[in-house]
Amino acid sequence: MTAEVTTAYEGVRAVRRIVAGEGFLVDLLTVTAGEARRITAQLRPGTALDVQLQATGPVRTTWYGDETLHGWHTHRAGVPVRPVSTPGPGPADDPQRVRTRVDFTAVTDRVTFASVYQAGSAGPAVTDVRLEDDGLAVRLADGSTARFRSED
């Protein structure tokens, strides 16, 4: 599924593409602006969340609910994107509940944020995600790689 928004902020176009892979979900968000701006992708979970920063490669998350969910988060912007996690209001249906939230922010005129989610019981396990020139590459434990086109 793909959705496009051009009216939320003047001069900004956002395209979000959600794709079901074999045992995982891909979320690609590309934001384009007419000039450099502060662009933030947000994670606002309704469940407990741990964030693991890696020395290199994607940021990892673990979501704790009825089933454990693993997340891989990366970006392509040509500028650094630093995730910031802080306690904050819970989901819209229970904002009084405090949850860890995560913001990925870049100052640029174009950025793609990519997230891959996989249930702990699904397989083959995702081992790495990378945004490349032709889109997102999702590497799996069985040695295969699935590819997904990002917004052109």
Side-chain angles (χ1 to χ4, degrees):
M1 175 172 55
T2 301
E4 176 181 11
V5 175
T6 59
T7 57
Y9 299 96
E10 188 171 334
V12 177
R13 176 178 180 254
V15 177
R16 189 166 202 175
R17 181 172 289 139
I18 308 292
V19 183
E22 294 291 324
F24 56 89
L25 183 75
V26 172
D27 181 353
L28 293 159
L29 171 63
T30 300
V31 180
T32 307
E35 59 187 34
R37 325 173 55 128
R38 182 184 168 126
I39 301 170
T40 301
Q42 304 173 330
L43 299 178
R44 298 292 187 262
T47 186
L49 169 73
D50 284 333
V51 179
Q52 304 94 37
L53 298 177
Q54 311 297 313
T56 62
V59 172
R60 298 285 312 272
T61 55
T62 305
W63 308 59
Y64 303 99
D66 293 338
E67 184 171 0
T68 302
L69 181 71
H70 301 286
W72 293 259
H73 313 276
T74 192
H75 67 281
R76 180 176 57 216
V79 296
V81 172
R82 179 180 154 92
V84 175
S85 61
T86 59
D93 65 341
D94 191 4
Q96 299 305 314
R97 188 171 36 162
V98 174
R99 293 290 187 212
T100 299
R101 60 187 197 177
V102 184
D103 290 344
F104 297 90
T105 301
V107 177
T108 184
D109 63 347
R110 182 177 173 86
V111 63
T112 297
F113 298 103
S115 294
V116 175
Y117 301 98
Q118 185 175 50
S121 62
V126 172
T127 59
D128 192 27
V129 299
R130 296 205 188 276
L131 269 169
E132 300 172 343
D133 289 340
D134 60 347
L136 181 70
V138 178
R139 292 182 177 83
L140 304 170
D142 67 1
S144 65
T145 300
R147 298 194 180 279
F148 300 89
R149 182 178 59 87
S150 59
E151 174 60 17
D152 299 325

Short mmCIF file of all heavy atoms in Angstrom, two decimals, residues 94-123:
data_model
loop_
_atom_site.label_atom_id
_atom_site.label_comp_id
_atom_site.label_asym_id
_atom_site.label_seq_id
_atom_site.Cartn_x
_atom_site.Cartn_y
_atom_site.Cartn_z
N ASP A 94 -4.76 5.72 25.09
CA ASP A 94 -4.39 5.76 26.51
C ASP A 94 -3.16 6.66 26.72
O ASP A 94 -2.10 6.21 27.11
CB ASP A 94 -4.10 4.35 27.02
CG ASP A 94 -3.97 4.29 28.53
OD1 ASP A 94 -4.17 5.32 29.20
OD2 ASP A 94 -3.66 3.21 29.05
N PRO A 95 -3.31 7.98 26.46
CA PRO A 95 -2.15 8.88 26.53
C PRO A 95 -1.61 9.08 27.94
O PRO A 95 -0.50 9.58 28.10
CB PRO A 95 -2.69 10.20 25.95
CG PRO A 95 -4.16 10.13 26.12
CD PRO A 95 -4.53 8.67 26.05
N GLN A 96 -2.34 8.68 28.97
CA GLN A 96 -1.85 8.82 30.35
C GLN A 96 -0.76 7.79 30.66
O GLN A 96 0.04 7.97 31.57
CB GLN A 96 -2.99 8.67 31.35
CG GLN A 96 -4.07 9.72 31.17
CD GLN A 96 -3.52 11.14 31.24
OE1 GLN A 96 -2.73 11.47 32.12
NE2 GLN A 96 -3.92 11.98 30.30
N ARG A 97 -0.72 6.72 29.89
CA ARG A 97 0.28 5.67 30.10
C ARG A 97 1.59 6.14 29.47
O ARG A 97 1.63 6.52 28.31
CB ARG A 97 -0.21 4.39 29.42
CG ARG A 97 0.62 3.19 29.69
CD ARG A 97 -0.04 1.95 29.16
NE ARG A 97 -0.75 2.19 27.92
CZ ARG A 97 -1.11 1.22 27.09
NH1 ARG A 97 -0.84 -0.03 27.36
NH2 ARG A 97 -1.75 1.51 25.98
N VAL A 98 2.68 6.13 30.23
CA VAL A 98 3.98 6.57 29.72
C VAL A 98 4.64 5.43 28.97
O VAL A 98 4.70 4.30 29.46
CB VAL A 98 4.87 7.06 30.88
CG1 VAL A 98 6.27 7.40 30.37
CG2 VAL A 98 4.25 8.28 31.55
N ARG A 99 5.15 5.73 27.79
CA ARG A 99 5.87 4.76 26.94
C ARG A 99 7.13 5.40 26.40
O ARG A 99 7.19 6.62 26.22
CB ARG A 99 5.00 4.31 25.76
CG ARG A 99 3.80 3.51 26.15
CD ARG A 99 4.23 2.16 26.65
NE ARG A 99 3.07 1.34 26.89
CZ ARG A 99 3.03 0.43 27.83
NH1 ARG A 99 4.05 0.24 28.63
NH2 ARG A 99 1.96 -0.31 27.99
N THR A 100 8.11 4.57 26.06
CA THR A 100 9.30 5.07 25.38
C THR A 100 8.91 5.41 23.95
O THR A 100 8.27 4.62 23.27
CB THR A 100 10.42 4.01 25.37
OG1 THR A 100 10.78 3.73 26.71
CG2 THR A 100 11.64 4.51 24.60
N ARG A 101 9.28 6.60 23.52
CA ARG A 101 9.04 7.00 22.13
C ARG A 101 10.38 7.30 21.49
O ARG A 101 11.35 7.62 22.18
CB ARG A 101 8.10 8.19 22.06
CG ARG A 101 8.60 9.40 22.78
CD ARG A 101 7.56 10.47 22.82
NE ARG A 101 8.18 11.74 23.15
CZ ARG A 101 7.53 12.86 23.20
NH1 ARG A 101 6.25 12.89 22.91
NH2 ARG A 101 8.14 13.98 23.51
N VAL A 102 10.43 7.21 20.18
CA VAL A 102 11.68 7.40 19.45
C VAL A 102 11.43 8.35 18.28
O VAL A 102 10.49 8.14 17.51
CB VAL A 102 12.25 6.07 18.93
CG1 VAL A 102 13.60 6.28 18.28
CG2 VAL A 102 12.35 5.04 20.05
N ASP A 103 12.28 9.38 18.16
CA ASP A 103 12.26 10.29 17.02
C ASP A 103 13.54 10.12 16.22
O ASP A 103 14.63 10.11 16.79
CB ASP A 103 12.18 11.75 17.49
CG ASP A 103 10.84 12.10 18.10
OD1 ASP A 103 9.88 11.35 17.90
OD2 ASP A 103 10.76 13.15 18.76
N PHE A 104 13.40 9.99 14.91
CA PHE A 104 14.53 9.98 13.98
C PHE A 104 14.45 11.29 13.22
O PHE A 104 13.48 11.52 12.50
CB PHE A 104 14.44 8.81 13.01
CG PHE A 104 14.51 7.46 13.67
CD1 PHE A 104 13.37 6.80 14.10
CD2 PHE A 104 15.73 6.85 13.89
CE1 PHE A 104 13.43 5.56 14.70
CE2 PHE A 104 15.81 5.61 14.49
CZ PHE A 104 14.65 4.96 14.90
N THR A 105 15.45 12.18 13.39
CA THR A 105 15.38 13.53 12.82
C THR A 105 16.58 13.81 11.92
O THR A 105 17.71 13.48 12.26
CB THR A 105 15.32 14.58 13.94
OG1 THR A 105 14.16 14.31 14.74
CG2 THR A 105 15.22 15.99 13.39
N ALA A 106 16.30 14.46 10.79
CA ALA A 106 17.34 14.92 9.87
C ALA A 106 17.01 16.35 9.47
O ALA A 106 15.84 16.73 9.41
CB ALA A 106 17.40 14.04 8.62
N VAL A 107 18.03 17.14 9.18
CA VAL A 107 17.83 18.47 8.60
C VAL A 107 18.32 18.37 7.16
O VAL A 107 19.53 18.28 6.90
CB VAL A 107 18.59 19.56 9.39
CG1 VAL A 107 18.41 20.91 8.71
CG2 VAL A 107 18.11 19.60 10.83
N THR A 108 17.38 18.34 6.23
CA THR A 108 17.68 18.10 4.83
C THR A 108 16.46 18.46 3.99
O THR A 108 15.40 18.77 4.53
CB THR A 108 18.06 16.61 4.61
OG1 THR A 108 18.44 16.41 3.25
CG2 THR A 108 16.92 15.68 4.97
N ASP A 109 16.60 18.38 2.66
CA ASP A 109 15.44 18.61 1.80
C ASP A 109 14.85 17.29 1.30
O ASP A 109 13.80 17.29 0.67
CB ASP A 109 15.79 19.52 0.63
CG ASP A 109 16.83 18.92 -0.29
OD1 ASP A 109 17.48 17.91 0.08
OD2 ASP A 109 17.01 19.46 -1.39
N ARG A 110 15.52 16.16 1.60
CA ARG A 110 15.00 14.84 1.19
C ARG A 110 15.59 13.76 2.07
O ARG A 110 16.80 13.72 2.27
CB ARG A 110 15.33 14.56 -0.26
CG ARG A 110 14.77 13.22 -0.75
CD ARG A 110 15.07 13.00 -2.22
NE ARG A 110 14.70 11.68 -2.66
CZ ARG A 110 13.49 11.33 -3.08
NH1 ARG A 110 12.53 12.23 -3.12
NH2 ARG A 110 13.24 10.10 -3.47
N VAL A 111 14.72 12.89 2.56
CA VAL A 111 15.18 11.78 3.40
C VAL A 111 14.23 10.60 3.21
O VAL A 111 13.03 10.79 2.98
CB VAL A 111 15.27 12.19 4.89
CG1 VAL A 111 13.92 12.56 5.45
CG2 VAL A 111 15.93 11.10 5.73
N THR A 112 14.78 9.41 3.29
CA THR A 112 13.98 8.20 3.35
C THR A 112 14.28 7.51 4.66
O THR A 112 15.45 7.27 4.98
CB THR A 112 14.28 7.24 2.17
OG1 THR A 112 13.94 7.90 0.95
CG2 THR A 112 13.48 5.96 2.29
N PHE A 113 13.24 7.23 5.43
CA PHE A 113 13.35 6.44 6.65
C PHE A 113 12.79 5.06 6.34
O PHE A 113 11.72 4.96 5.73
CB PHE A 113 12.52 7.06 7.78
CG PHE A 113 12.95 8.44 8.19
CD1 PHE A 113 12.24 9.55 7.78
CD2 PHE A 113 14.06 8.63 9.01
CE1 PHE A 113 12.61 10.83 8.19
CE2 PHE A 113 14.44 9.90 9.42
CZ PHE A 113 13.72 11.00 9.00
N ALA A 114 13.49 4.02 6.74
CA ALA A 114 13.03 2.65 6.50
C ALA A 114 12.99 1.88 7.81
O ALA A 114 13.93 1.95 8.60
CB ALA A 114 13.95 1.94 5.51
N SER A 115 11.89 1.17 8.03
CA SER A 115 11.76 0.30 9.19
C SER A 115 11.30 -1.07 8.71
O SER A 115 10.47 -1.17 7.81
CB SER A 115 10.74 0.85 10.19
OG SER A 115 11.19 2.06 10.75
N VAL A 116 11.85 -2.10 9.34
CA VAL A 116 11.44 -3.47 9.07
C VAL A 116 11.05 -4.08 10.40
O VAL A 116 11.79 -3.93 11.39
CB VAL A 116 12.57 -4.28 8.40
CG1 VAL A 116 12.16 -5.74 8.23
CG2 VAL A 116 12.95 -3.66 7.06
N TYR A 117 9.91 -4.75 10.45
CA TYR A 117 9.40 -5.35 11.68
C TYR A 117 9.18 -6.84 11.47
O TYR A 117 8.67 -7.25 10.42
CB TYR A 117 8.07 -4.71 12.08
CG TYR A 117 8.19 -3.22 12.31
CD1 TYR A 117 7.84 -2.31 11.33
CD2 TYR A 117 8.67 -2.73 13.52
CE1 TYR A 117 7.95 -0.95 11.54
CE2 TYR A 117 8.79 -1.37 13.74
CZ TYR A 117 8.43 -0.48 12.75
OH TYR A 117 8.55 0.87 12.96
N GLN A 118 9.56 -7.62 12.50
CA GLN A 118 9.37 -9.07 12.41
C GLN A 118 9.01 -9.62 13.78
O GLN A 118 9.67 -9.30 14.78
CB GLN A 118 10.64 -9.75 11.90
CG GLN A 118 10.47 -11.24 11.67
CD GLN A 118 11.69 -11.88 11.05
OE1 GLN A 118 12.80 -11.68 11.52
NE2 GLN A 118 11.49 -12.64 10.00
N ALA A 119 7.98 -10.45 13.83
CA ALA A 119 7.60 -11.12 15.07
C ALA A 119 8.71 -12.09 15.46
O ALA A 119 9.37 -12.69 14.59
CB ALA A 119 6.28 -11.86 14.89
N GLY A 120 8.93 -12.24 16.77
CA GLY A 120 9.98 -13.12 17.25
C GLY A 120 9.83 -14.56 16.79
O GLY A 120 10.82 -15.28 16.64
N SER A 121 8.60 -14.99 16.51
CA SER A 121 8.36 -16.37 16.10
C SER A 121 8.45 -16.58 14.59
O SER A 121 8.39 -17.70 14.11
CB SER A 121 6.97 -16.81 16.57
OG SER A 121 5.98 -15.99 15.97
N ALA A 122 8.60 -15.49 13.81
CA ALA A 122 8.62 -15.59 12.35
C ALA A 122 10.03 -15.96 11.87
O ALA A 122 11.02 -15.75 12.54
CB ALA A 122 8.19 -14.27 11.71
N GLY A 123 10.10 -16.49 10.70
CA GLY A 123 11.39 -16.83 10.13
C GLY A 123 11.28 -16.93 8.63
O GLY A 123 10.18 -16.97 8.10
#
